[in-house]
Amino acid sequence: MNANFNFRYLRNIESSFQLVRILVIVIVLGCIGVASWVAYLSYKTNRESREKIYVLDNGGKSIMLALAQEQNTNRPAEAKDHVKTFLKLFFNQEPDEKAIDANMKQAAYLGDESITRHYLDLREKGFYTKLLQGNTIQKVMIDSVSLDMNKSPYYCTINARIMLVRATNITMRKLIADCYLIDATRTDNNPHGFVIERFRVTDNSDIETINRDHYEGHRP
């Protein structure tokens, strides 16, 4: 009697252990499954967030949401806007020393030392001094920005005109320049993620100088 009781008791203990082992295995597998699912959702969410980039458009006046798979399509437009933004910062100038310094500081974020070198060259020639003394306003009118995006660094050619507005006359100048662009990290100061390299002006000759009264008298 005691032998049968002990045998049944041992069988019950063994069955209980087996049940506990099964429960433990089920719980462990369940935890692994839940952890795997959470890890997958986290990876998916992180990947989707990385696939969305914010692009400053129209000189930083508006923001559009673009998908990463469309980045190659948007990249040429971003590159052109990067160059146009630089041209406006560098060549649109008021007869205000602080405004000139602020523009040049911001323009320097968009390119390499060739930009700073061109600025220093103009300053050494007294261009900005004449701008301040003559109370002259300078404006750039961009005609075209052409890019070759087939090979990095991307070659860029610029055709534009510069208008110098003085108290008595207006001078129009030709601006032909070229440079190279390389991809860079997007920052607050460089939202398009490009850096201008080897910027050079190849033609900045005068087109014409006209009397301001004559010019304004023929404005529509």
Side-chain angles (χ1 to χ4, degrees):
M1 183 71 178
N2 288 335
N4 290 334
F5 176 77
N6 290 335
F7 179 75
R8 287 197 301 271
Y9 180 73
L10 293 174
R11 288 288 302 272
N12 289 337
I13 293 176
E14 185 179 356
S15 298
S16 298
F17 281 146
Q18 289 179 349
L19 180 60
V20 170
R21 282 197 297 269
I22 292 173
L23 288 175
V24 170
I25 292 172
V26 169
I27 291 172
V28 170
L29 292 176
C31 291
I32 293 174
V34 171
S36 299
W37 179 248
V38 171
Y40 170 75
L41 289 179
S42 177
Y43 169 76
K44 182 180 178 182
T45 302
N46 185 56
R47 184 181 62 185
E48 290 176 350
S49 67
R50 288 177 179 270
E51 288 177 350
K52 294 180 180 181
I53 56 176
Y54 290 94
V55 181
L56 292 181
D57 185 41
N58 194 22
K61 295 180 180 178
S62 62
I63 298 178
M64 66 179 182
L65 181 64
L67 297 177
Q69 57 263 31
E70 296 175 353
Q71 184 175 1
N72 290 335
T73 302
N74 292 332
R75 206 62 178 145
E78 289 188 83
K80 288 184 178 181
D81 195 57
H82 183 86
V83 174
K84 290 178 180 178
T85 300
F86 157 70
L87 292 173
K88 292 173 184 177
L89 286 169
F90 196 96
F91 292 103
N92 282 351
Q93 299 297 346
E94 302 285 340
D96 185 315
E97 190 172 0
K98 290 184 178 180
I100 293 173
D101 290 342
N103 279 0
M104 291 306 166
K105 182 179 179 180
Q106 193 62 38
Y109 286 113
L110 306 182
D112 66 359
E113 69 278 358
S114 62
I115 292 174
T116 305
R117 192 162 55 244
H118 187 64
Y119 164 67
L120 293 176
D121 183 54
L122 289 173
R123 193 174 70 176
E124 288 177 3
K125 292 178 179 178
F127 173 77
Y128 296 104
T129 300
K130 294 176 182 177
L131 203 71
L132 295 170
Q133 292 177 348
N135 199 33
T136 304
I137 298 174
Q138 178 175 274
K139 295 292 182 183
V140 63
M141 294 172 285
I142 303 167
D143 296 319
S144 67
V145 174
S146 301
L147 285 161
D148 181 4
M149 299 291 289
N150 294 319
K151 182 181 179 181
S152 179
Y154 314 117
Y155 181 63
C156 174
T157 57
I158 300 160
N159 283 278
R161 289 163 294 156
I162 291 178
M163 181 169 65
L164 293 164
V165 182
R166 304 182 184 90
T168 58
N169 59 53
I170 296 175
T171 298
M172 298 295 297
R173 285 181 179 170
K174 186 185 299 183
L175 177 64
I176 298 177
D178 62 5
C179 63
Y180 290 85
L181 274 75
I182 60 172
D183 295 290
T185 303
R186 297 175 190 270
T187 65
D188 290 341
N189 291 312
N190 187 355
H192 292 107
F194 285 104
V195 170
I196 295 172
E197 291 187 327
R198 290 172 275 173
F199 174 77
R200 62 171 185 164
V201 175
T202 57
D203 191 351
N204 193 208
S205 58
D206 288 356
I207 299 174
E208 64 175 342
T209 298
I210 58 177
N211 184 280
R212 187 165 178 176
D213 292 335
H214 177 77
Y215 173 79
E216 293 179 351
H218 286 79
R219 289 177 63 182

